[in-house]
Amino acid sequence: MPRALLAALLTLAVAAGCAGRAAANGFTGGKLDVVTAFYPLQFLSERVGGDAVTVTNLTKPGAEPHDVELNPRQVAQVADAGVAVHLRGFQPAVDAAVAQEAKGRSFDVASVVALQPFSDDDEDREGSKDPHVWLDPLRFATIAGKLGDRLAEADPAHAAGYRARASQLQDQLQGLDHTYAESLANCARRELVTSHEAFGYLAARYGLTQVGITGISPEAEPSPRRLAQVAAQARATGTTTIFFETLVSPKVAETIAREVGAKTAVLDPLEGLTDAEPTRGGKPQNEPQKGADYFTVMRANLAALTTALGCTS
């Protein structure tokens, strides 16, 4: 082999080895590699991380995150991440990958804010915690601050930027909380009937009562007994709107709505976003708007709530 070619191959091998070590150390191209479990954590990481990070989301856009499975490439992304951001107990496959591949390099949302139990006494969920903590802007603000500290620990060179962006995001989330509190202070009704029991934190923060047709899994089939209970409660409270969510079928909500003479509307639990633009043609009307993010969806949720609950400012 010519000496010049051998030298070139050795140079490429050294470069490849360095690149591999850089990725293994959690940085690529000078940026911290952050892997997130699902959309709200992706949003948080992008806003707090800014230009100093590269964020990879393990849940594909438009996918329902509860039962996500990871392929080998995604497990490798967890292994190479500088920080893996997840919510323990929400996605078992992600929890397993983090435990095996990212020990000492993870940020568990459930470790920095207290998760509340589900509001009902369903024996199947006895002792389980509600994961939908991001729907409370103030709890989400707490998570933002802790994530800023965690990214600063992983990447001290950019620590000031992480903490500054986290503080700015906290201010915005506190402003959102103020808007919600004012808008939901005076309402004709305070019962929130939803197809998926995802809004317990939001209901608790703003003095609402959540009535969920199904529990933690939005694709679960409610029993006839549960359907009858929700219908009776909706009639008793004068419910005018049954909420269904993005990413899953609205059929259960439509069944209750027909039963009690109510209408249906979207309330988005923000578990995943899609870039699809809703139309009145063949696409479902429960897809998020193109270009939406956490704040635009939360404001759309507030508009839907104030209309459905008969709120006045």
Side-chain angles (χ1 to χ4, degrees), residues 42-130:
Q42 175 193 357
F43 168 82
L44 208 63
S45 299
E46 288 174 344
R47 290 291 300 270
V48 174
D51 292 338
V53 302
T54 300
V55 177
T56 301
N57 188 11
L58 296 174
T59 303
K60 295 179 180 180
E64 211 297 311
H66 285 79
D67 301 315
V68 70
E69 297 293 338
L70 302 186
N71 59 42
R73 180 173 176 271
Q74 290 174 308
V75 174
Q77 289 171 331
V78 173
D80 289 341
V83 178
V85 185
H86 70 123
L87 197 164
R88 184 168 47 86
F90 185 47
Q91 297 168 297
V94 175
D95 291 348
V98 170
Q100 183 172 340
E101 305 291 347
K103 287 182 179 178
R105 292 177 290 107
S106 65
F107 175 76
D108 174 18
V109 169
S111 71
V112 299
V113 290
L115 299 185
Q116 66 186 25
F118 282 96
S119 58
D120 65 16
D121 58 356
D122 187 338
E123 292 181 0
D124 292 336
R125 289 179 289 156
E126 186 176 355
S128 63
K129 301 291 185 180
D130 183 351

Coordinates of all heavy atoms in Angstrom, one line a residue, residues 42-130:
Q42 N -39.4 17.8 24.9 CA -38.6 18.4 23.7 C -38.7 19.9 23.7 O -37.7 20.6 23.5 CB -39.2 17.8 22.4 CG -38.6 18.4 21.2 CD -39.3 18.1 19.9 OE1 -40.3 17.3 19.9 NE2 -38.9 18.6 18.8
F43 N -40.0 20.4 23.8 CA -40.2 21.9 23.9 C -39.3 22.5 25.0 O -38.6 23.5 24.7 CB -41.7 22.2 24.1 CG -42.0 23.6 24.4 CD1 -42.1 24.5 23.4 CD2 -42.1 24.0 25.7 CE1 -42.3 25.9 23.7 CE2 -42.4 25.4 26.0 CZ -42.5 26.3 25.0
L44 N -39.4 22.0 26.1 CA -38.6 22.5 27.3 C -37.1 22.5 27.0 O -36.4 23.5 27.2 CB -38.9 21.7 28.5 CG -38.8 22.3 29.9 CD1 -39.9 23.4 30.0 CD2 -39.0 21.3 31.0
S45 N -36.6 21.4 26.4 CA -35.2 21.3 26.2 C -34.7 22.3 25.1 O -33.6 22.8 25.2 CB -34.8 19.9 25.8 OG -35.2 19.0 26.9
E46 N -35.5 22.4 24.1 CA -35.2 23.4 23.0 C -35.2 24.8 23.5 O -34.3 25.6 23.2 CB -36.1 23.2 21.8 CG -35.9 21.9 21.1 CD -37.0 21.7 20.0 OE1 -38.0 22.3 20.0 OE2 -36.7 20.8 19.1
R47 N -36.2 25.2 24.3 CA -36.2 26.5 24.8 C -35.1 26.8 25.8 O -34.6 27.9 25.8 CB -37.6 26.8 25.4 CG -38.8 26.8 24.4 CD -38.7 28.1 23.5 NE -38.7 29.3 24.3 CZ -39.8 29.9 24.6 NH1 -41.0 29.5 24.2 NH2 -39.8 31.1 25.3
V48 N -34.8 25.9 26.7 CA -33.8 26.1 27.7 C -32.4 25.9 27.1 O -31.5 26.7 27.4 CB -34.0 25.2 28.9 CG1 -32.8 25.3 29.9 CG2 -35.3 25.5 29.6
G49 N -32.3 25.0 26.2 CA -31.0 24.7 25.6 C -30.5 25.7 24.6 O -29.3 26.0 24.4
G50 N -31.5 26.2 23.8 CA -31.1 27.2 22.7 C -30.2 26.6 21.7 O -30.2 25.4 21.4
D51 N -29.2 27.5 21.3 CA -28.3 27.1 20.2 C -27.2 26.2 20.8 O -26.3 25.7 20.0 CB -27.7 28.3 19.6 CG -28.6 29.1 18.8 OD1 -29.7 28.5 18.4 OD2 -28.4 30.3 18.6
A52 N -27.1 26.0 22.1 CA -26.0 25.2 22.7 C -26.3 23.7 22.6 O -25.5 22.9 23.0 CB -25.8 25.6 24.1
V53 N -27.5 23.3 22.2 CA -27.9 21.9 22.3 C -28.4 21.4 20.9 O -28.9 22.2 20.1 CB -29.0 21.6 23.3 CG1 -28.5 22.0 24.7 CG2 -30.3 22.3 23.0
T54 N -28.4 20.1 20.7 CA -29.1 19.4 19.6 C -30.1 18.5 20.3 O -29.7 17.6 21.1 CB -28.1 18.6 18.7 OG1 -27.2 19.5 18.2 CG2 -28.9 17.9 17.6
V55 N -31.4 18.7 20.0 CA -32.4 17.9 20.7 C -33.0 16.9 19.8 O -33.4 17.2 18.6 CB -33.5 18.8 21.2 CG1 -34.7 18.0 21.9 CG2 -33.0 19.9 22.2
T56 N -33.1 15.6 20.2 CA -33.7 14.5 19.5 C -34.9 14.0 20.3 O -34.8 13.7 21.5 CB -32.8 13.4 19.3 OG1 -31.6 13.8 18.5 CG2 -33.4 12.2 18.6
N57 N -36.1 13.9 19.7 CA -37.3 13.5 20.4 C -37.5 12.0 20.1 O -37.6 11.6 18.9 CB -38.5 14.3 20.0 CG -39.7 14.0 20.8 OD1 -39.7 13.3 21.8 ND2 -40.9 14.5 20.4
L58 N -37.7 11.1 21.1 CA -37.9 9.7 20.8 C -39.3 9.4 20.4 O -39.5 8.3 19.9 CB -37.6 8.9 22.1 CG -36.1 9.0 22.6 CD1 -36.0 8.3 24.0 CD2 -35.2 8.4 21.6
T59 N -40.3 10.3 20.6 CA -41.6 10.0 20.1 C -41.9 10.8 18.8 O -41.8 12.0 18.8 CB -42.7 10.4 21.2 OG1 -42.4 9.7 22.4 CG2 -44.1 10.2 20.7
K60 N -42.2 10.1 17.8 CA -42.3 10.8 16.5 C -43.5 11.8 16.5 O -44.5 11.5 17.2 CB -42.5 9.7 15.4 CG -41.3 8.8 15.2 CD -41.6 7.8 14.1 CE -40.4 6.9 13.9 NZ -40.7 5.8 12.8
P61 N -43.4 12.8 15.7 CA -44.5 13.8 15.6 C -45.8 13.1 15.2 O -45.8 12.3 14.3 CB -44.1 14.8 14.5 CG -42.6 14.7 14.5 CD -42.3 13.3 14.9
G62 N -46.9 13.4 15.9 CA -48.2 12.8 15.6 C -48.4 11.4 16.3 O -49.5 10.9 16.1
A63 N -47.4 10.9 16.9 CA -47.5 9.5 17.5 C -48.0 9.7 19.0 O -47.8 10.7 19.6 CB -46.2 8.8 17.6
E64 N -48.8 8.7 19.4 CA -49.3 8.6 20.8 C -48.2 8.1 21.7 O -47.7 7.0 21.4 CB -50.6 7.7 20.8 CG -51.6 8.1 21.8 CD -51.1 8.1 23.2 OE1 -50.5 7.0 23.6 OE2 -51.3 9.0 24.0
P65 N -47.8 8.9 22.7 CA -46.5 8.5 23.4 C -46.7 7.5 24.5 O -45.7 6.9 24.9 CB -46.1 9.8 24.0 CG -47.4 10.6 24.2 CD -48.3 10.2 23.1
H66 N -47.9 7.1 24.9 CA -48.0 6.3 26.1 C -47.3 5.0 26.0 O -46.7 4.5 26.9 CB -49.5 6.1 26.4 CG -50.2 7.2 27.1 ND1 -50.6 8.3 26.3 CD2 -50.5 7.5 28.3 CE1 -51.2 9.2 27.1 NE2 -51.1 8.7 28.4
D67 N -47.5 4.3 24.8 CA -47.0 3.0 24.6 C -45.9 2.9 23.6 O -45.7 1.9 22.9 CB -48.1 2.0 24.3 CG -49.2 2.0 25.3 OD1 -48.8 1.9 26.5 OD2 -50.4 2.0 24.9
V68 N -45.1 4.0 23.5 CA -44.0 4.0 22.5 C -43.0 2.9 22.7 O -42.7 2.5 23.8 CB -43.3 5.4 22.5 CG1 -42.5 5.6 23.8 CG2 -42.4 5.6 21.3
E69 N -42.5 2.4 21.6 CA -41.4 1.4 21.6 C -40.2 2.0 20.9 O -40.4 2.7 19.9 CB -41.9 0.1 20.9 CG -43.0 -0.6 21.6 CD -42.6 -1.2 23.0 OE1 -41.4 -1.4 23.2 OE2 -43.5 -1.4 23.8
L70 N -39.0 1.6 21.3 CA -37.8 2.2 20.7 C -37.1 1.2 19.8 O -37.1 0.0 20.1 CB -36.8 2.6 21.8 CG -37.3 3.6 22.9 CD1 -36.2 4.0 23.8 CD2 -37.9 4.9 22.2
N71 N -36.7 1.7 18.7 CA -35.9 0.8 17.8 C -34.4 0.9 18.2 O -34.0 1.8 19.0 CB -36.1 1.2 16.3 CG -35.7 2.7 16.0 OD1 -34.7 3.1 16.5 ND2 -36.5 3.4 15.2
P72 N -33.5 0.0 17.7 CA -32.1 0.0 18.1 C -31.4 1.4 17.8 O -30.6 1.8 18.6 CB -31.5 -1.0 17.2 CG -32.6 -2.0 16.9 CD -33.9 -1.1 16.8
R73 N -31.8 2.1 16.8 CA -31.2 3.4 16.5 C -31.5 4.4 17.7 O -30.7 5.2 18.1 CB -31.7 3.9 15.2 CG -31.1 5.3 14.8 CD -31.5 5.7 13.4 NE -31.1 7.0 13.1 CZ -31.8 8.1 13.3 NH1 -33.0 8.0 13.8 NH2 -31.3 9.3 12.9
Q74 N -32.8 4.3 18.1 CA -33.2 5.3 19.2 C -32.5 4.9 20.5 O -32.1 5.8 21.3 CB -34.7 5.2 19.4 CG -35.4 5.9 18.2 CD -36.9 5.7 18.3 OE1 -37.4 4.6 18.5 NE2 -37.7 6.8 18.2
V75 N -32.3 3.6 20.8 CA -31.6 3.2 22.0 C -30.2 3.7 21.9 O -29.6 4.2 22.9 CB -31.6 1.7 22.2 CG1 -30.8 1.2 23.3 CG2 -33.1 1.2 22.4
A76 N -29.6 3.6 20.7 CA -28.2 4.2 20.5 C -28.2 5.7 20.8 O -27.2 6.2 21.4 CB -27.7 3.8 19.1
Q77 N -29.2 6.4 20.4 CA -29.3 7.8 20.7 C -29.3 8.1 22.1 O -28.7 9.1 22.6 CB -30.5 8.4 20.0 CG -30.4 8.5 18.4 CD -31.7 8.9 17.8 OE1 -32.8 8.6 18.3 NE2 -31.6 9.5 16.6
V78 N -30.0 7.3 22.9 CA -30.1 7.4 24.4 C -28.7 7.2 24.9 O -28.2 8.0 25.8 CB -31.1 6.5 25.0 CG1 -31.0 6.5 26.5 CG2 -32.5 6.8 24.6
A79 N -28.0 6.2 24.4 CA -26.6 5.9 24.9 C -25.6 7.0 24.6 O -24.7 7.2 25.4 CB -26.2 4.5 24.2
D80 N -25.8 7.7 23.5 CA -24.9 8.7 23.1 C -25.2 10.1 23.7 O -24.4 11.0 23.5 CB -24.8 8.8 21.6 CG -24.1 7.6 20.9 OD1 -23.4 6.9 21.7 OD2 -24.3 7.4 19.7
A81 N -26.3 10.2 24.3 CA -26.8 11.6 24.8 C -26.0 12.1 25.9 O -25.5 11.3 26.8 CB -28.3 11.5 25.2
G82 N -25.8 13.4 25.9 CA -25.2 14.0 27.1 C -26.2 14.1 28.2 O -25.8 14.0 29.4
V83 N -27.5 14.3 27.9 CA -28.6 14.3 28.9 C -29.8 13.7 28.2 O -30.2 14.0 27.1 CB -28.9 15.8 29.4 CG1 -30.1 15.7 30.3 CG2 -27.7 16.4 30.0
A84 N -30.4 12.7 28.9 CA -31.6 12.1 28.5 C -32.8 12.6 29.4 O -32.7 12.4 30.6 CB -31.5 10.6 28.5
V85 N -33.7 13.3 28.8 CA -34.8 13.9 29.6 C -36.1 13.0 29.4 O -36.6 12.8 28.3 CB -35.1 15.3 29.1 CG1 -36.1 16.0 29.9 CG2 -33.8 16.2 29.0
H86 N -36.6 12.5 30.6 CA -37.7 11.7 30.5 C -38.6 11.9 31.8 O -38.2 12.7 32.7 CB -37.3 10.2 30.4 CG -36.6 9.6 31.6 ND1 -37.1 8.5 32.3 CD2 -35.6 10.1 32.4 CE1 -36.3 8.3 33.3 NE2 -35.4 9.2 33.4
L87 N -39.7 11.2 31.8 CA -40.6 11.2 33.0 C -40.8 9.8 33.4 O -41.6 9.0 32.7 CB -41.9 11.9 32.6 CG -42.8 12.4 33.8 CD1 -43.8 13.4 33.3 CD2 -43.5 11.3 34.5
R88 N -40.1 9.3 34.4 CA -40.2 8.0 34.8 C -41.6 7.5 35.2 O -42.3 8.2 35.9 CB -39.3 7.8 36.1 CG -39.1 6.3 36.5 CD -38.0 6.2 37.6 NE -38.1 7.2 38.6 CZ -38.8 7.2 39.7 NH1 -39.6 6.1 39.9 NH2 -38.8 8.2 40.5
G89 N -42.0 6.4 34.6 CA -43.3 5.8 34.9 C -44.3 6.1 33.8 O -45.4 5.5 33.8
F90 N -44.0 6.9 32.8 CA -44.9 7.3 31.7 C -44.7 6.4 30.5 O -45.6 6.0 29.9 CB -44.7 8.7 31.4 CG -45.7 9.3 30.3 CD1 -47.0 9.0 30.4 CD2 -45.2 10.1 29.3 CE1 -47.9 9.5 29.5 CE2 -46.1 10.6 28.4 CZ -47.4 10.3 28.5
Q91 N -43.4 6.1 30.2 CA -43.1 5.3 29.0 C -42.1 4.2 29.4 O -40.9 4.5 29.4 CB -42.5 6.2 27.9 CG -43.4 7.3 27.4 CD -42.7 8.3 26.5 OE1 -41.9 9.1 27.0 NE2 -43.1 8.4 25.3
P92 N -42.5 3.0 29.6 CA -41.7 2.0 30.1 C -40.5 1.7 29.2 O -39.4 1.5 29.7 CB -42.6 0.8 30.2 CG -43.9 1.3 30.4 CD -44.0 2.6 29.6
A93 N -40.6 1.8 27.9 CA -39.5 1.5 27.0 C -38.4 2.6 27.1 O -37.2 2.2 27.1 CB -40.0 1.4 25.6
V94 N -38.8 3.8 27.3 CA -37.9 4.9 27.5 C -37.2 4.7 28.8 O -35.9 4.9 28.9 CB -38.5 6.2 27.4 CG1 -37.5 7.4 27.7 CG2 -39.1 6.4 26.0
D95 N -37.9 4.4 29.9 CA -37.3 4.2 31.2 C -36.3 3.1 31.2 O -35.2 3.3 31.8 CB -38.4 3.8 32.2 CG -39.4 5.0 32.5 OD1 -39.1 6.1 32.1 OD2 -40.4 4.7 33.1
A96 N -36.6 2.0 30.5 CA -35.6 0.9 30.4 C -34.4 1.3 29.7 O -33.2 1.0 30.1 CB -36.3 -0.3 29.7
A97 N -34.5 2.0 28.6 CA -33.3 2.5 27.8 C -32.5 3.4 28.6 O -31.2 3.4 28.6 CB -33.8 3.1 26.5
V98 N -33.1 4.4 29.3 CA -32.4 5.3 30.1 C -31.6 4.6 31.3 O -30.5 4.9 31.5 CB -33.3 6.4 30.7 CG1 -32.6 7.2 31.8 CG2 -33.8 7.3 29.6
A99 N -32.3 3.7 31.9 CA -31.7 2.9 33.0 C -30.5 2.1 32.6 O -29.5 2.0 33.3 CB -32.7 2.0 33.7
Q100 N -30.6 1.6 31.4 CA -29.5 0.7 30.9 C -28.4 1.5 30.2 O -27.2 1.2 30.3 CB -30.1 -0.3 29.9 CG -29.0 -1.3 29.3 CD -29.7 -2.4 28.5 OE1 -30.8 -2.7 28.6 NE2 -28.9 -3.1 27.7
E101 N -28.7 2.6 29.5 CA -27.8 3.2 28.6 C -27.4 4.6 29.0 O -26.4 5.2 28.5 CB -28.4 3.3 27.2 CG -28.8 2.0 26.6 CD -27.6 1.1 26.2 OE1 -26.5 1.6 26.3 OE2 -27.9 -0.1 26.0
A102 N -28.1 5.2 30.0 CA -27.8 6.6 30.3 C -27.7 6.9 31.8 O -28.1 7.9 32.3 CB -28.9 7.6 29.7
K103 N -27.1 5.9 32.5 CA -27.0 6.1 34.0 C -26.1 7.3 34.3 O -25.0 7.4 33.7 CB -26.4 4.8 34.6 CG -27.4 3.7 34.7 CD -26.7 2.5 35.4 CE -27.7 1.3 35.5 NZ -27.1 0.1 36.1
G104 N -26.5 8.2 35.1 CA -25.7 9.4 35.5 C -25.8 10.5 34.4 O -25.3 11.6 34.7
R105 N -26.6 10.3 33.4 CA -26.7 11.3 32.3 C -28.2 11.6 32.0 O -28.5 12.0 30.9 CB -26.0 10.9 31.0 CG -24.5 10.8 31.2 CD -23.8 10.3 29.9 NE -24.0 8.9 29.7 CZ -24.8 8.4 28.8 NH1 -25.5 9.2 28.0 NH2 -25.0 7.1 28.6
S106 N -29.0 11.3 33.0 CA -30.5 11.5 32.7 C -31.0 12.7 33.6 O -30.4 13.1 34.6 CB -31.3 10.3 33.0 OG -31.2 9.9 34.4
F107 N -32.2 13.1 33.2 CA -33.0 14.1 34.0 C -34.4 13.6 34.0 O -35.1 13.6 33.0 CB -32.9 15.5 33.3 CG -33.7 16.5 34.0 CD1 -33.3 17.1 35.2 CD2 -35.0 16.9 33.4 CE1 -34.1 18.1 35.8 CE2 -35.8 17.9 34.0 CZ -35.3 18.5 35.2
D108 N -34.8 13.2 35.2 CA -36.1 12.6 35.4 C -37.0 13.7 35.9 O -36.9 14.2 37.1 CB -36.0 11.4 36.3 CG -37.4 10.9 36.7 OD1 -38.4 11.2 36.0 OD2 -37.5 10.1 37.7
V109 N -38.0 14.1 35.2 CA -39.0 15.1 35.6 C -39.7 14.8 36.9 O -39.9 15.6 37.7 CB -40.0 15.4 34.5 CG1 -41.2 16.2 34.9 CG2 -39.3 16.0 33.2
A110 N -40.0 13.5 37.1 CA -40.7 13.0 38.3 C -39.8 13.2 39.5 O -40.3 13.1 40.6 CB -41.1 11.6 38.1
S111 N -38.5 13.5 39.4 CA -37.6 13.6 40.5 C -37.6 15.1 41.0 O -37.0 15.3 42.1 CB -36.2 13.1 40.2 OG -35.6 14.0 39.3
V112 N -38.1 16.0 40.3 CA -38.0 17.4 40.6 C -39.3 18.1 41.0 O -39.3 19.2 41.5 CB -37.3 18.2 39.5 CG1 -35.8 17.7 39.3 CG2 -38.0 18.2 38.2
V113 N -40.5 17.4 40.6 CA -41.8 17.9 41.1 C -42.6 16.7 41.6 O -42.4 15.6 41.1 CB -42.6 18.6 39.9 CG1 -41.9 19.9 39.5 CG2 -42.7 17.7 38.7
A114 N -43.4 17.0 42.5 CA -44.3 15.9 43.1 C -45.4 15.6 42.1 O -46.1 16.5 41.6 CB -44.8 16.3 44.4
L115 N -45.5 14.3 41.8 CA -46.6 13.9 40.9 C -47.8 13.5 41.8 O -47.7 12.9 42.9 CB -46.2 12.7 40.1 CG -45.1 12.8 39.1 CD1 -44.9 11.6 38.3 CD2 -45.3 14.0 38.2
Q116 N -49.0 13.9 41.4 CA -50.2 13.7 42.2 C -50.9 12.4 41.7 O -50.8 11.9 40.6 CB -51.2 14.8 42.0 CG -51.8 15.0 40.6 CD -52.6 16.3 40.5 OE1 -52.5 17.2 41.3 NE2 -53.6 16.3 39.6
P117 N -51.6 11.7 42.6 CA -52.3 10.5 42.3 C -53.5 10.8 41.4 O -54.0 11.9 41.3 CB -52.8 9.9 43.6 CG -52.8 11.1 44.5 CD -51.8 12.0 44.1
F118 N -54.0 9.8 40.7 CA -55.2 10.0 39.9 C -56.4 10.3 40.9 O -56.4 9.9 42.0 CB -55.6 8.8 39.1 CG -54.7 8.7 37.8 CD1 -53.6 7.9 37.8 CD2 -55.1 9.4 36.7 CE1 -52.8 7.8 36.7 CE2 -54.3 9.3 35.6 CZ -53.2 8.5 35.5
S119 N -57.4 11.1 40.3 CA -58.4 11.6 41.2 C -59.5 10.6 41.6 O -60.2 10.9 42.5 CB -59.1 12.8 40.5 OG -59.6 12.4 39.2
D120 N -59.6 9.5 40.9 CA -60.7 8.6 41.2 C -60.1 7.4 42.0 O -58.9 7.3 42.3 CB -61.4 8.1 40.0 CG -60.6 7.3 39.0 OD1 -59.5 6.8 39.5 OD2 -61.0 7.1 37.9
D121 N -61.0 6.4 42.3 CA -60.6 5.3 43.1 C -60.6 4.0 42.3 O -60.9 2.9 42.8 CB -61.5 5.1 44.3 CG -63.0 5.0 43.9 OD1 -63.3 5.0 42.7 OD2 -63.9 4.8 44.8
D122 N -60.3 4.1 41.0 CA -60.2 2.9 40.2 C -59.1 2.0 40.7 O -57.9 2.3 40.8 CB -59.8 3.4 38.7 CG -59.8 2.3 37.7 OD1 -59.7 1.1 38.1 OD2 -60.0 2.6 36.5
E123 N -59.5 0.7 41.0 CA -58.6 -0.2 41.6 C -57.4 -0.6 40.7 O -56.3 -0.9 41.1 CB -59.3 -1.5 42.0 CG -60.3 -1.3 43.2 CD -61.0 -2.5 43.6 OE1 -60.8 -3.6 42.9 OE2 -61.9 -2.5 44.5
D124 N -57.7 -0.5 39.4 CA -56.6 -0.8 38.4 C -55.5 0.2 38.5 O -54.4 -0.1 38.0 CB -57.2 -0.9 37.0 CG -58.2 -2.0 36.8 OD1 -58.1 -3.0 37.6 OD2 -59.0 -1.9 35.9
R125 N -55.7 1.4 39.0 CA -54.7 2.4 39.1 C -54.3 2.8 40.5 O -53.7 3.8 40.7 CB -55.1 3.6 38.3 CG -55.2 3.4 36.8 CD -55.7 4.7 36.1 NE -57.1 4.9 36.4 CZ -57.7 6.0 36.3 NH1 -57.0 7.1 36.0 NH2 -59.0 6.1 36.5
E126 N -54.7 1.9 41.4 CA -54.4 2.2 42.8 C -52.9 2.4 43.0 O -52.1 1.6 42.7 CB -54.9 1.1 43.7 CG -54.8 1.4 45.2 CD -55.4 0.3 46.0 OE1 -56.0 -0.7 45.5 OE2 -55.3 0.4 47.3
G127 N -52.5 3.5 43.6 CA -51.1 3.8 43.9 C -50.4 4.4 42.7 O -49.2 4.8 42.9
S128 N -51.0 4.5 41.5 CA -50.3 5.1 40.4 C -50.4 6.6 40.4 O -51.3 7.2 41.0 CB -50.8 4.5 39.1 OG -52.2 4.9 38.9
K129 N -49.4 7.2 39.7 CA -49.4 8.7 39.7 C -49.7 9.2 38.3 O -49.5 8.6 37.3 CB -47.9 9.2 40.0 CG -47.5 8.7 41.4 CD -48.2 9.4 42.5 CE -47.6 9.0 43.9 NZ -48.3 9.7 45.0
D130 N -50.3 10.4 38.3 CA -50.7 11.1 37.0 C -49.4 11.7 36.4 O -48.8 12.5 37.0 CB -51.8 12.1 37.3 CG -52.3 12.8 36.1 OD1 -51.7 12.6 35.0 OD2 -53.3 13.6 36.2

